[in-house]
Amino acid sequence: MGDNSILNLCLFLTFVSTCFHAPCFSYEVRRGGGGPYNSVAVSSFSYPRTQLRPYDWRYIKVDLPPWFSSMSVSLESDVDLDPGKIENIPSSKLPIICLREGSPPLPDVYNISLAGLVLEAISNAPFADIRGLQNVELCYPMQQNMSVIVTNEQISPGVWYWGLFNGIGPTRTQSKMINRGPVYSFSGNISVEGCTTPSMWGQYCNQTVDLLSCADNYNLSENLSDTKLFNQTAENVIFCRNPNGNSCHGGLEPKIYSLDVMGIAEQLTIVAANVKLNETASSNGTWNASGITLMCYARHGAIPRATLHDYSSNISEEPLVISSPKVGRWYFAVHMNVKACYILDWLVFECPEGKAGFNCSWERYMLQTVLRTNPYFEADYVPVSEKISSDSANFPLEPLLSKGKLEVAWTYFLLDIPSGAAGGNLHIKLPSGAKTNFEIYAKYGGLPSLDSWDYYYANTTSSSNISMFPKPYYADDQTASFYILYIRGGTWSFGLRQLNTSETASKNQTTVSISLERCPGRCSSPHGKCQSAMDASGLIIYSYCSCDRDHGGFDCSIEIVSHKGHVWQSVALIASNVAAVLPAYWSLHQKAYAEWVLFMCSGVSSGLYHACDVGTWCPLSFHVLQFMDFWLSFMAVVSTFVYLADIDEASKRTIHTIVAIITALMAAAGPTSSTNIALVMAIGALGLLTGWLIEFCTKNRSLPFATEFRLNVLYGWQAVKGWLHNLVKTLLKRFRWGFVVAGFIALAMAGISWKLETSESYWIWHSMWHVSIYTSSFLFLYSKVDAVADGESGGPPDGNYELTRQDSFSRG
């Protein structure tokens, strides 16, 4: 009763803390269904509609408590991909969703786009094969509707991350002047349910689990000499027996046990003793004890099955031995071919503090955390030992090495990563004056070995290369240096396997540096800057590199644009603005001083903006230059249209003032939006029509045919036809139509260039845009003929005067 009260209190506290960040389910115990089971809604997160622009990403963090039973994920998006064409979509344009245990996923860093991408739609079935996702992640193409339930029989409790990416690859972190491409949006719900008692398990909490504990009455370490398991001393071994005595079962239903490994252990062993047939089964006389098979399957963090487990053995014949078991809860499933009884014994072999290895002959050191004051959220790890001084973050290795006569020796270092540091990166560096003769093995939650490790690094050509970041300039024969990116929170062990111990280190002075850093390699400064962001739930801060125009990758170390290419791109983007001289010269020639100033300022501001964008020179801040460039460009386009109307300066100033306000708002709100081009063209056309309307009303204050139209409808229609004829004649005389057509062709080329712009080809097409748009403005300006006399332009002739004149001639 007391245990249930404590568990319910924990459930309530978890529920309350979760509700501070997202809407939650109410605490509700669910009963019924196909059998007796109890489950409780632990938490629920509801994510509103969120947009993913090209190369954007979002992380969602989900905490699964030890008593969780299932995690339900429901996701809706506007992604519409043809499954048959996914293989042909480049990774930089493919929207994907990834799942990883312990830390945020990084699919483009781990080359998962080719090796780990599951092309079929996400469903419950593929999750049956989830194993070891703390090292790699599982990725799927985004779907319009995704609904999946992951149970505690498939994944282990802890922290899990969902990552949604709109394109992956080195260019994901590259700074881009434009970011065009498909924009996707998603919304969803993630809910977690748990069991009300720790002895229940399964998706519906209807499976009983026997908790194994080593109570004093059942600790058999003093009788260890009577066993045939090991030749170890009792002081290093905890030997226990199932407190419930004999376990009798059989048939199709396995027996499930759980055991908590509390600290770093060298070995965990499970064995069955006193195996015998059940009395009911033995009465038939068809089986004897020698024919009984007790298959034991073991799995860390989740219930094992015959098809999904970490270790297995027939414990009726030989023990199940797990070397260097991970810290945490282990589950064991015992399957029998007949109904039988047995006693389950287990043994945990632990070395004394400071020792490791099966014979406890290797050295083991616990590293303490030393926080850095600048920058924040970074720390160094130094050993706690009297053999060295811990004043420096770089500590000498030789005094700490294990001594022995063997050719190979291991030295272990243990450290704790805070759970909130999952968005950081662990940097291990071993510089040495001579060729490094160490191999480095890393493991989460246990001691690494040749047979059990998460990552290893031997040299520049031999490493696990999963979730690690060895780079040619990070590592060489004299330096072993690598990163573990977005390291998982918890206990980590690093084993240094020293080769050729006889050639030891009196000559070589090797220093070790282990540190937790926000961004690897300081983002290859000056090629990038370290930025911080929060996941979608607001529960964790992670860091990432924001690179310049020429570099990309997680640490900005990948050169996307060469130095020569950078020069060519800079020259093209800056020099192409010289085309603004064409409309500016003609405006000055026509004494249109406002247009002249506008075109000159537009060309200069665009040149300065692109010079700043490519990293040449920034006289003002980037955002100020960007605003000036787009605002003046919008104004130049509209001013070209307004110039084509023959109106007075007061009317022009009024139109320019209104347009200036509208285009300023457009340039401030979304300068690079493609819709702005259509809006600017529409505003320009509206300005031209407004100018023509003003011109028409000014030169035709009264329509003489209006009165006659009321008197004589036939005469009115003739007058209208005559007016339209003269209007067309006036327009034909007003413009040089060959240049008008050429202007529209140049304008169409500008529109095509804008449409063809991508992140990769931006420099060439945007340079073409500069030339085309300024050339079209010049052609439109040049196409306007100077104003002529009112008799040739202005309004339609006076119809009454013409008729009277004709009549007088006929009479004379």
Side-chain angles (χ1 to χ4, degrees):
M1 185 67 180
D3 293 340
N4 289 339
S5 300
I6 295 175
L7 179 60
N8 290 334
L9 176 61
C10 294
L11 285 169
F12 174 74
L13 293 177
T14 302
F15 168 77
V16 171
S17 63
T18 305
C19 287
F20 280 109
H21 302 281
C24 295
F25 283 128
S26 60
Y27 186 93
E28 177 186 1
V29 178
R30 307 183 181 187
R31 304 178 184 273
Y37 62 88
N38 297 324
S39 63
V40 58
V42 177
S43 63
S44 177
F45 298 88
S46 179
Y47 297 96
R49 180 67 60 175
T50 304
Q51 279 194 342
L52 282 179
R53 294 173 56 82
Y55 297 103
D56 272 359
W57 67 92
R58 294 289 186 276
Y59 288 130
I60 299 175
K61 175 177 176 284
V62 184
D63 285 301
L64 302 181
W67 59 86
F68 98 100
S69 59
S70 63
M71 173 178 60
S72 301
V73 180
S74 177
L75 189 69
E76 294 182 357
S77 70
D78 55 3
V79 176
D80 187 14
L81 296 178
D82 185 356
K85 298 181 180 179
I86 290 178
E87 294 182 356
N88 300 325
I89 300 177
S91 60
S92 60
K93 301 183 182 299
L94 181 64
I96 64 174
I97 179 171
C98 299
L99 176 65
R100 190 185 187 199
E101 181 182 6
S103 60
L106 288 170
D108 38 9
V109 174
Y110 307 149
N111 298 320
I112 208 72
S113 58
L114 299 178
L117 181 63
V118 182
L119 295 180
E120 64 264 17
I122 189 172
S123 63
N124 291 332
F127 282 90
D129 298 327
I130 291 181
R131 300 184 68 180
L133 287 184
Q134 72 273 16
N135 300 338
V136 294
E137 55 249 20
L138 196 62
C139 295
Y140 294 86
M142 283 279 287
Q143 304 164 216
Q144 283 188 333
N145 295 288
M146 185 193 81
S147 181
V148 63
I149 298 177
V150 188
T151 71
N152 55 15
E153 298 174 340
Q154 297 172 326
I155 63 175
S156 59
V159 180
W160 288 81
Y161 289 85
W162 292 91
L164 295 94
F165 302 84
N166 187 2
I168 60 176
T171 56
R172 183 166 69 93
T173 55
Q174 179 194 18
S175 178
K176 306 171 187 66
M177 192 173 202
I178 62 165
N179 208 8
R180 297 201 182 103
V183 178
Y184 303 110
S185 60
F186 73 93
S187 63
N189 293 280
I190 298 180
S191 59
V192 179
E193 293 195 358
C195 300
T196 56
T197 58
S199 61
M200 304 303 294
W201 201 252
Q203 178 180 356
Y204 304 107
C205 302
N206 58 349
Q207 194 170 10
T208 303
V209 177
D210 286 353
L211 303 178
L212 301 178
S213 60
C214 212
D216 293 337
N217 296 336
Y218 301 97
N219 192 334
L220 307 178
S221 299
E222 65 274 8
N223 300 325
L224 183 62
S225 59
D226 297 335
T227 68
K228 299 180 180 180
L229 297 178
F230 294 99
N231 295 320
Q232 302 295 335
T233 58
E235 60 186 21
N236 296 333
V237 176
I238 301 175
F239 183 32
C240 299
R241 175 164 290 174
N242 187 2
N244 297 326
N246 288 341
S247 295
C248 299
H249 62 95
L252 300 177
E253 292 297 329
K255 188 71 172 178
I256 308 298
Y257 302 93
S258 67
L259 175 64
D260 290 326
V261 177
M262 305 304 297
I264 298 295
E266 308 300 325
Q267 201 169 72
L268 171 63
T269 302
I270 303 294
V271 66
N274 299 333
V275 180
K276 60 182 179 179
L277 289 172
N278 195 335
E279 294 181 359
T280 305
S282 62
S283 62
N284 298 330
T286 58
W287 289 90
N288 52 43
S290 60
I292 301 176
T293 300
L294 273 71
M295 284 301 301
C296 182
Y297 300 97
R299 190 180 178 192
H300 182 263
I303 290 181
R305 298 194 299 270
T307 57
L308 182 61
H309 56 270
D310 297 331
Y311 300 91
S312 65
S313 177
N314 181 5
I315 58 175
S316 63
E317 297 180 357
E318 58 181 4
L320 173 63
V321 179
I322 303 175
S323 299
S324 300
K326 288 186 177 182
V327 175
R329 179 160 294 185
W330 285 83
Y331 290 89
F332 306 91
V334 178
H335 297 252
M336 292 193 298
N337 55 348
V338 295
K339 293 183 178 181
C341 299
Y342 60 92
I343 297 177
L344 194 66
D345 296 335
W346 65 94
L347 180 145
V348 179
F349 173 43
E350 298 179 350
C351 286
E353 185 177 357
K355 294 295 181 179
F358 186 70
N359 295 319
C360 299
S361 57
W362 308 133
E363 300 293 335
R364 185 180 73 183
Y365 302 93
M366 190 68 194
L367 303 182
Q368 66 178 352
T369 306
V370 180
L371 296 177
R372 294 179 178 177
T373 56
N374 189 21
Y376 295 103
F377 306 110
E378 295 192 345
D380 297 305
Y381 291 90
V382 296
V384 181
S385 175
E386 298 178 352
K387 299 178 182 180
I388 62 170
S389 173
S390 59
D391 296 337
S392 175
N394 300 323
F395 55 89
L397 181 61
E398 278 72 21
L400 304 176
L401 293 176
S402 299
K403 304 298 189 294
K405 298 180 179 180
L406 299 177
E407 289 296 322
V408 177
W410 288 79
T411 304
Y412 296 96
F413 297 95
L414 277 65
L415 56 90
D416 289 324
I417 301 294
S419 58
N425 311 279
L426 193 69
H427 186 197
I428 300 94
K429 188 175 182 181
L430 279 81
S432 178
K435 185 174 181 179
T436 303
N437 62 339
F438 296 102
E439 294 179 353
I440 307 171
Y441 293 81
K443 184 178 179 180
Y444 177 80
L447 296 178
S449 64
L450 291 178
D451 300 324
S452 177
W453 48 265
D454 291 331
Y455 318 116
Y456 85 92
Y457 180 86
N459 51 52
T460 55
T461 59
S462 177
S463 66
S464 59
N465 202 27
I466 300 176
S467 305
M468 301 177 66
F469 215 43
K471 289 289 181 181
Y473 58 87
Y474 284 160
D476 52 34
D477 290 340
Q478 280 72 42
T479 303
S481 177
F482 60 86
Y483 282 89
I484 298 181
L485 302 180
Y486 284 176
I487 188 167
R488 180 182 181 183
T491 301
W492 282 85
S493 300
F494 292 88
L496 271 64
R497 185 170 178 258
Q498 184 184 5
L499 308 177
N500 301 323
T501 57
S502 58
E503 301 177 4
T504 196
S506 58
K507 299 180 181 180
N508 304 331
Q509 292 298 320
T510 303
T511 57
V512 181
S513 172
I514 302 178
S515 58
L516 185 66
E517 301 176 1
R518 292 177 56 209
C519 293
R522 296 286 183 260
C523 297
S524 304
S525 181
H527 301 319
K529 296 181 180 179
C530 191
Q531 305 287 344
S532 296
M534 300 191 72
D535 73 319
S537 62
L539 300 177
I540 185 173
I541 298 177
Y542 64 93
S543 300
Y544 66 96
C545 288
S546 178
C547 310
D548 59 21
R549 296 285 188 264
D550 302 333
H551 295 81
F554 189 78
D555 65 341
C556 302
S557 64
I558 299 176
E559 186 182 65
I560 298 176
V561 180
S562 65
H563 176 70
K564 184 178 180 180
H566 177 84
V567 172
W568 277 107
Q569 293 184 14
S570 302
V571 171
L573 286 169
I574 298 173
S576 58
N577 290 282
V578 175
V581 172
L582 293 174
Y585 165 76
W586 185 251
S587 300
L588 184 62
H589 181 268
Q590 296 298 109
K591 297 183 180 181
Y593 298 113
E595 285 78 3
W596 170 67
V597 171
L598 189 58
F599 283 113
M600 288 299 298
C601 291
S602 175
V604 171
S605 64
S606 180
L608 293 176
Y609 166 53
H610 288 286
C612 179
D613 184 67
V614 298
T616 302
W617 181 52
C618 293
L620 298 172
S621 68
F622 175 81
H623 294 290
V624 171
L625 291 174
Q626 185 184 58
F627 169 78
M628 291 296 296
D629 174 38
F630 283 88
W631 177 51
L632 292 175
S633 298
F634 295 161
M635 283 294 298
V637 172
V638 177
S639 177
T640 302
F641 284 94
V642 176
Y643 176 83
L644 298 180
D646 190 12
I647 56 178
D648 58 273
E649 290 299 322
S651 300
K652 282 186 178 181
R653 288 196 299 269
T654 302
I655 296 176
H656 283 167
T657 302
I658 296 173
V659 170
I661 296 173
I662 297 175
T663 53
L665 294 175
M666 293 170 57
T672 60
S673 175
S674 299
T675 57
N676 283 343
I677 298 299
L679 290 175
V680 168
M681 293 299 176
I683 294 173
L686 181 61
L688 177 59
L689 292 176
T690 303
W692 280 348
L693 182 61
I694 294 174
E695 178 185 349
F696 175 78
C697 294
T698 302
K699 295 182 178 181
N700 300 275
R701 298 182 180 277
S702 63
L703 296 179
F705 63 84
T707 304
E708 299 295 335
F709 179 78
R710 290 192 295 267
L711 300 175
N712 191 335
V713 176
L714 179 61
Y715 171 74
W717 282 113
Q718 290 177 350
V720 170
K721 290 173 62 176
W723 179 82
L724 291 175
H725 174 75
N726 284 279
L727 178 62
V728 172
K729 186 177 179 180
T730 302
L731 290 177
L732 291 176
K733 291 181 178 181
R734 173 69 62 84
F735 300 103
R736 301 180 179 95
W737 285 95
F739 289 94
V740 172
V741 174
F744 277 109
I745 294 176
L747 187 62
M749 292 177 60
I752 293 173
S753 300
W754 182 276
K755 187 66 176 178
L756 293 178
E757 287 179 6
T758 63
S759 300
E760 295 77 14
S761 62
Y762 172 79
W763 67 278
I764 180 63
W765 289 115
H766 198 71
S767 300
M768 292 295 297
W769 154 266
H770 288 156
V771 175
S772 301
I773 198 68
Y774 285 127
T775 302
S776 67
S777 294
F778 166 74
L779 292 172
F780 284 132
L781 295 177
Y782 187 79
S783 67
K784 181 183 177 182
V785 179
D786 293 338
V788 294
D790 290 343
E792 298 176 313
S793 65
D798 191 333
N800 292 333
Y801 173 78
E802 291 291 339
L803 291 174
T804 304
R805 188 163 176 262
Q806 292 176 6
D807 184 64
S808 64
F809 285 158
S810 62
R811 290 180 181 180

